[in-house]
Amino acid sequence: RHLARALHLATLVDDVGSECKAMRRLGMLALQSGDVARALKLFTTSADQPTTRADDSVPSMVLAAIASSLAGDATAAATWVGKASEHLMDDPASGSNILERVGTALLAIDRPELAIELFDEAMECAMMAKDDDRYETLSTRMVQAEMALDDSERENIPVLRRLLDGLTPAERVQQR
C-alpha cells in the first residue's frame, strides 16, 4: 500500500518520463493483485503520455494490449499491439530488449504465462536483428518462465499467443 501511494505521488511530478514509468509500475501492482480493470486504465494512461523517445511508451503499449485482452476487449488489444509493433519493427534489436524487460517484470509479479509470450517475441526480434547471443540469452529466459508456470496458468496462453504474435508480424520477420 505504501509503495502504491509513493508511486501515485511520483506521477504528480512534472516529468513525463517518470510519470509514464510510475503509471506503468502502478499498473503492474494492479495486475499482480488481480485488478485487471485498474491495470488497464493505468497502462493505457501511461501509453498515451507524450514521451521524448518513442521507445519509452512501447512497454506500456504492450502491457495495455495484454490487459485489454485479459479484460476481454480484443479490439483494443489488437490496436495496442499494432501501435507497439510499429515501434518494435523500426529497431528489432532495441525491441528485443524492451520485450525482455517487460517479460522480466511480468515474471517478477508471478505472471510467467505472460512473460513466456514476450520472451518468444523478443527472440523473434533478436532473430530479425541477427543477434545470436541475444537469442540464446532469451531462450534461457523462456525456459525460466516455463519452469515457473503451473497448469492453472496455461488457459490464457493460446489467446495471448495469437495476440502477441502481432508484435512481430510474420511478413516482417521474413523480410529481414
Side-chain angles (χ1 to χ4, degrees):
R1 180 166 265 202
H2 293 291
L3 177 60
R5 177 80 175 132
L7 286 171
H8 174 72
L9 291 174
T11 64
L12 302 177
V13 175
D14 192 21
D15 176 359
V16 176
S18 295
E19 185 175 340
C20 184
K21 288 177 186 174
M23 295 296 264
R24 190 167 52 243
R25 288 181 181 132
L26 286 169
M28 293 297 280
L29 288 171
L31 189 60
Q32 180 184 27
S33 70
D35 190 347
V36 175
R38 178 150 171 75
L40 176 58
K41 182 179 177 189
L42 290 162
F43 292 144
T44 56
T45 300
S46 177
D48 286 335
Q49 293 292 319
T51 57
T52 54
R53 291 185 16 218
D55 286 354
D56 291 343
S57 61
V58 173
S60 298
M61 290 177 190
V62 171
L63 290 164
I66 290 170
S68 293
S69 178
L70 293 174
D73 189 347
T75 303
T79 300
W80 284 116
V81 164
K83 289 179 181 182
S85 178
E86 288 177 30
H87 296 289
L88 294 170
M89 294 299 97
D90 284 344
D91 183 359
S94 173
S96 179
N97 289 328
I98 290 168
L99 293 174
E100 181 188 14
R101 282 195 317 269
V102 176
T104 300
L106 289 167
L107 201 52
I109 65 163
D110 198 27
R111 295 303 299 257
E113 77 282 12
L114 303 175
I116 285 172
E117 298 308 320
L118 291 179
F119 292 144
D120 178 51
E121 297 308 310
M123 288 172 71
E124 288 187 29
C125 285
M127 225 173 14
M128 285 186 270
K130 296 178 178 26
D131 187 342
D132 294 337
D133 291 336
R134 181 115 189 87
Y135 185 89
E136 289 301 317
T137 299
L138 288 163
S139 65
T140 301
R141 300 292 290 151
M142 179 94 95
V143 170
Q144 290 172 335
E146 182 70 33
M147 297 298 288
L149 194 62
D150 67 33
D151 290 336
S152 67
E153 296 165 326
R154 295 182 189 273
E155 68 185 49
N156 287 327
I157 290 178
V159 172
L160 287 167
R161 181 172 294 137
R162 283 190 300 275
L163 170 70
L164 296 175
D165 276 346
L167 290 171
T168 53
E171 63 273 4
R172 296 293 297 264
V173 174
Q174 293 169 356
Q175 287 175 1
R176 301 223 176 220

